[in-house]
Amino acid sequence: MTYIAGVDIGNSTTEVCVGEADLNGSIHFLTSSSCPTTGTKGTLSNTHGIKTALKQAMSKINRNMEDITLIRLNEAAPVIGDTAMETLTETIITDSSMIGHNPSTPAGAGQAVGEILLIDNLSRGVSGTAYIVAAPSSFSYEEVAALLNQSADSLDITGVILQADEAVLVENRLHKKVPIIDEVARINKLPDGVPAAIEVALPGQTIRMLSNPYGIATLLHLNAEETRTVTPIAKSLIGKRSAVVLKTPGGNVRENALPAGEIYLEAENSTSINLDEGAEKIMQVVSDAGNIRDLSGQPDTNVGNMFNRIKKGMSEVDNIPDADIHITDILAVDTMAPVLISGALAGETCLEKAVGIAAMVKTQQLPMQKIAEILKSELHTDVKVAGVEAVMAGLGALTTPGTKLPLAILDMGGGSTDAAVISEEGRVIMTHQAGAGELVSMLIETELGLSDRHMAEQIKKYPLAKVESLFHMRMENGQMTFVDESIDPRFYGRVVLLAEEGFIRIEEDIPMEKIVQVRQDAKRKVFVTNAFRALQKVAPDHDLKNISNVVLVGGSAEDFEIPEMLMDEFSNYRIVCGRGNIRGQEGPRNAVATGLVLSYAGEIQ
């Protein structure tokens, strides 16, 4: 028996296809498998994942890895994708000039103005002066309420700031109701005796005065120059349920434009572009530059440091000299990134303009040959670096029922989007583009302010629902779904992801509609943009109207909405577009591995 194994090493997943070849070179496909890629794509660490995937595949047909006659590896490993987020501006607020956050349990409603008075110093308060009392968590809610009630007749207490999550408990015990906000972590940094304004919105509404610079000016009696300087504060408080702004002596606010830096393109038409110009202009310059040999950034700037970091990271994982590492493509995307406000007392952030960048890194060395040598010595099997990834993906895509030449394929993975067009004569034109699933995850994580990348990955993969009772939930498309068995109470009132294994609760208190919008916008910015960019490069005469069929393959083609987005966009060009179904059974996965096995048959014949 002649067993041929095709191995596709991707950024996230290593896939294997095993076929049996007869004497005439005909292939009978037997099995396939996949497992997470070990290490960075194109490095020696990949061998562990390859052996795991081979073992899984051969065990399905009750065979050992040693029974494999030939292992064929894809050739595209030296190209990897990397991503980074660079913020263009930063709002810096000094001398603790403001706090303003969005706790889920403020109490009371309305605005209040007064001097900050720590609860320890209630006895020092004087009548005729309005006070906003600040209480640390060392005071229980009973103690806070009792002290405020005792002082209600002698002091003019207009509002309360709590460190603990106890606003409602305190308000329930007050004789005189006032606006109360809570969950202010660093309350000990509040300066005693300075003027402050507090606002709590009605349920279901957001604050209006403190999210308006003229509202702040009205409450704190600011002049025109002071009003101009509090504009970043007002901007950061938009959409909040509660907020406090302090007027500190000598406190100042300034908006500091960080040096975003220039991108230098070494290409057919060498040029440069400033990151401040935004993603659209950056991508226009990249397109006009022609074939790019290398990209670099202005020293001591955000973008310069980013490109250096990417090259240094690639150098460290595989001991490649810096001179042999080149960035051959980037995808820039406009986004908003939360920036931590200096001087803020509750970890407040302000959304600022940012550019997300995916970079394609290429090396002069061919680490795949080293991987082949290691596998050959460890498995005692012939191993060959057999074909270019995009070409192999095209061969695999042709096993999708209903396809024929000429054919275009889009291979959408984790780090890159590859495209190829195969003519009726079998000629192949291909391209590798920076940006795919990992950039989408980064955009979701950044724009939603999530605490970890794993949750962003989950949001990217699964649709959403809001559990509105123990027996029904509202889907993201508005449909109401009822269930026979009671939903776990810990999901009640929460936004959840509808994963195969069950519900995944989103811990952050973010409206379902916003999550859906951010997720879909991120996918359009990356996949729709890259699909058009890639296909225009490989299309005859660079005209999409010369392409009639596009098959989507790769991990991101399994997404529940990306193929539909692309299908809708390509319909304007009368292009037939859809998910591949490799060998009529694998779906969009396994295209490159299948193509590697098929290419063996072509070589034999």
Side-chain angles (χ1 to χ4, degrees):
M1 293 290 184
T2 302
Y3 293 112
I4 310 300
V7 178
D8 172 28
I9 307 166
N11 287 76
S12 305
T13 308
T14 297
E15 298 177 350
V16 164
C17 174
V18 178
E20 181 184 347
D22 60 23
L23 296 176
N24 299 320
S26 298
I27 297 292
H28 174 56
F29 291 103
L30 300 175
T31 182
S32 63
S33 68
S34 66
C35 72
T37 296
T38 50
T40 301
K41 176 180 177 179
T43 63
L44 300 183
S45 302
N46 297 161
T47 56
H48 303 293
I50 294 171
K51 288 189 287 187
T52 300
L54 287 170
K55 186 175 181 180
Q56 287 177 1
M58 295 304 287
S59 66
K60 292 179 182 179
I61 55 173
N62 298 316
R63 296 286 183 177
N64 298 318
M65 281 193 293
E66 292 76 14
D67 295 329
I68 299 173
T69 310
L70 173 64
I71 297 172
R72 295 169 67 82
L73 305 177
N74 63 307
E75 203 175 78
V79 182
I80 68 167
D82 198 0
T83 55
M85 183 71 70
E86 296 306 327
T87 306
L88 302 185
T89 61
E90 180 183 14
T91 302
I92 299 176
I93 297 181
T94 61
D95 291 344
S96 301
S97 297
M98 61 76 64
I99 61 175
H101 61 310
N102 202 25
S104 56
T105 57
Q111 301 103 32
V113 179
E115 290 184 8
I116 293 292
L117 179 64
L118 301 181
I119 199 166
D120 292 325
N121 301 331
L122 275 175
S123 59
R124 301 179 191 173
V126 296
S127 61
T129 301
Y131 292 108
I132 293 175
V133 176
S137 56
S138 56
F139 286 78
S140 69
Y141 60 87
E142 291 102 335
E143 290 174 321
V144 172
L147 288 169
L148 292 175
N149 285 332
Q150 290 172 15
S151 306
D153 294 332
S154 57
L155 296 178
D156 181 13
I157 297 173
T158 60
V160 180
I161 304 171
L162 301 176
Q163 186 174 34
D165 181 13
E166 296 175 341
V168 174
L169 294 171
V170 170
E171 193 208 27
N172 289 342
R173 290 161 173 77
L174 290 183
H175 302 322
K176 177 186 175 184
K177 304 300 183 183
V178 294
I180 305 174
I181 70 167
D182 54 9
E183 302 176 63
V184 178
R186 296 185 289 277
I187 202 167
N188 59 306
K189 292 186 178 291
L190 280 172
D192 208 356
V194 303
I198 185 172
E199 182 176 8
V200 175
L202 291 167
Q205 299 184 22
T206 58
I207 60 172
R208 302 181 63 181
M209 290 292 282
L210 295 185
S211 60
N212 172 9
Y214 300 116
I216 297 175
T218 301
L219 295 176
L220 294 179
H221 308 292
L222 305 182
N223 60 33
E225 182 60 26
E226 290 171 327
T227 302
R228 187 188 66 79
T229 64
V230 299
T231 299
I233 294 176
K235 182 174 70 170
S236 71
L237 298 178
I238 292 172
K240 303 299 184 188
R241 174 86 192 278
S242 65
V244 173
V245 174
L246 285 75
K247 185 179 180 182
T248 58
N252 66 86
V253 182
R254 68 181 186 276
E255 190 152 297
N256 177 29
L258 297 177
E262 297 263 334
I263 300 173
Y264 303 128
L265 294 89
E266 182 186 329
E268 289 179 64
N269 304 307
S270 295
T271 183
S272 64
I273 178 73
N274 196 295
L275 201 66
D276 281 326
E277 295 286 338
E280 186 176 347
K281 288 190 177 180
I282 292 172
M283 293 313 299
Q284 186 60 52
V285 168
V286 169
S287 176
D288 295 342
N291 289 329
I292 297 172
R293 294 183 293 275
D294 196 12
L295 284 156
S296 59
Q298 184 180 350
D300 300 320
T301 64
N302 275 341
V303 72
N305 293 339
M306 183 197 77
F307 286 147
N308 288 338
R309 187 168 64 247
I310 290 171
K311 290 184 176 183
K312 183 179 179 182
M314 185 63 184
S315 174
E316 289 175 351
V317 297
D318 210 32
N319 298 317
I320 301 170
D322 290 352
D324 290 341
I325 300 172
H326 303 286
I327 296 174
T328 56
D329 183 53
I330 59 170
L331 174 66
V333 178
D334 284 326
T335 184
M336 299 296 288
V339 176
L340 186 66
I341 298 172
S342 303
L345 302 184
E348 297 84 12
T349 59
C350 179
L351 283 176
E352 294 290 350
K353 181 183 175 184
V355 174
I357 290 182
M360 194 65 112
V361 185
K362 194 165 188 175
T363 67
Q364 297 300 317
Q365 295 187 23
L366 294 177
M368 290 305 298
Q369 199 57 53
K370 297 179 185 177
I371 294 173
E373 292 168 4
I374 290 175
L375 289 173
K376 186 173 183 178
S377 64
E378 292 183 356
L379 301 179
H380 309 291
T381 300
D382 193 15
V383 183
K384 182 179 180 182
V385 181
V388 177
E389 190 166 359
V391 178
M392 296 301 106
L395 287 175
L398 278 169
T399 66
T400 295
T403 58
K404 67 172 186 177
L405 294 177
L407 181 71
I409 66 113
L410 273 174
D411 186 356
M412 303 180 294
S416 65
T417 301
D418 303 332
V421 169
I422 307 176
S423 69
E424 290 186 76
E425 297 78 30
R427 287 184 291 105
V428 180
I429 302 174
M430 60 190 175
T431 185
H432 302 286
Q433 306 281 72
E438 291 174 5
L439 180 58
V440 171
S441 298
M442 186 183 72
L443 291 175
I444 292 172
E445 178 188 13
T446 303
E447 293 194 24
L448 293 179
L450 302 176
S451 55
D452 70 293
R453 177 65 61 87
H454 179 68
M455 179 52 70
E457 288 278 353
Q458 302 289 75
I459 288 173
K460 178 181 72 177
K461 288 170 58 178
Y462 300 117
L464 294 156
K466 176 76 176 287
V467 179
E468 297 189 334
S469 80
L470 296 183
F471 291 93
H472 87 280
M473 54 189 170
R474 177 168 53 91
M475 316 301 279
E476 65 176 60
N477 62 3
Q479 174 187 338
M480 301 299 292
T481 299
F482 294 84
V483 296
D484 295 329
E485 296 185 8
S486 173
I487 299 172
D488 189 326
R490 64 195 174 94
F491 297 121
Y492 176 69
R494 306 295 300 206
V495 177
V496 297
L497 295 166
L498 305 176
E500 294 95 344
E501 63 273 14
F503 296 158
I504 300 173
R505 190 174 81 167
I506 295 179
E507 300 299 331
E508 286 83 357
D509 188 15
I510 308 171
M512 179 170 66
E513 293 75 15
K514 180 178 180 181
I515 299 174
V516 172
Q517 181 185 354
V518 168
R519 184 194 72 212
Q520 292 179 346
D521 285 350
K523 289 177 181 179
R524 286 193 181 95
K525 287 175 183 176
V526 175
F527 284 109
V528 175
T529 300
N530 245 0
F532 276 89
R533 197 163 68 105
L535 289 177
Q536 280 176 334
K537 277 194 174 183
V538 298
D541 300 325
H542 303 294
D543 189 347
L544 286 180
K545 293 179 180 177
N546 294 326
I547 293 176
S548 58
N549 298 277
V550 175
V551 176
L552 307 176
V553 299
S556 295
E558 290 184 310
D559 187 88
F560 69 97
E561 59 189 351
I562 291 171
E564 285 73 16
M565 286 181 182
L566 293 174
M567 197 183 308
D568 184 54
E569 295 289 338
F570 287 139
S571 64
N572 299 325
Y573 297 85
R574 299 182 181 275
I575 294 174
V576 178
C577 173
R579 290 181 184 87
N581 189 14
I582 310 305
R583 307 200 309 276
Q585 64 185 46
E586 297 284 348
R589 288 281 195 180
N590 213 253
V592 175
T594 297
L596 286 163
V597 176
L598 284 173
S599 65
Y600 169 80
E603 290 178 10
I604 295 297
Q605 292 171 354

